[in-house]
Amino acid sequence: VIAAHYGSVSVTTFAVGMAILQSKQIPLESYMPLFVALMELPAVIIASFEQYRMHAQLGSFRNTLIQTLTCRSILMLIASMAFGYYFSAATVS
């Protein structure tokens, strides 16, 4: 669970890809970091679900799913994407 929340292969792959493109002076679009969040979201959801399923003893699948989707890490990831979208749309207009 800790590994899913604080780092994974996709973040490392993204960082290495960015470094290679910068070293070759290839410009990047500003929305590229969004893809890191999109790649991380399923891993964090699955890890959180498994944590709650094994340790919280919430009983039903529905309660476990609700608890998973409302945990801080998921809400922060989704809120970050929403803020990014809002402010990028505000600067375009």
Side-chain angles (χ1 to χ4, degrees):
V1 173
I2 292 172
H5 281 82
Y6 296 107
S8 69
V9 175
S10 59
V11 172
T12 305
T13 304
F14 179 77
V16 170
M18 294 261 309
I20 290 170
L21 292 174
Q22 287 175 347
S23 72
K24 297 183 182 287
Q25 298 179 347
I26 298 173
L28 298 171
E29 297 293 334
S30 60
Y31 58 82
M32 293 307 290
L34 170 67
F35 293 117
V36 174
L38 291 175
M39 289 187 294
E40 293 300 316
L41 195 56
V44 173
I45 289 172
I46 290 169
S48 297
F49 182 82
E50 287 300 314
Q51 175 193 14
Y52 288 121
R53 186 179 66 80
M54 292 185 330
H55 299 293
Q57 304 298 325
L58 296 175
S60 73
F61 176 81
R62 183 175 183 268
N63 288 342
T64 304
L65 186 62
I66 290 170
Q67 189 69 27
T68 298
L69 295 177
T70 57
C71 71
R72 287 185 208 161
S73 57
I74 301 298
L75 293 177
M76 290 297 292
L77 204 53
I78 293 171
S80 297
M81 287 189 281
F83 283 127
Y85 176 77
Y86 174 77
F87 286 111
S88 67
T91 58
V92 171
S93 300

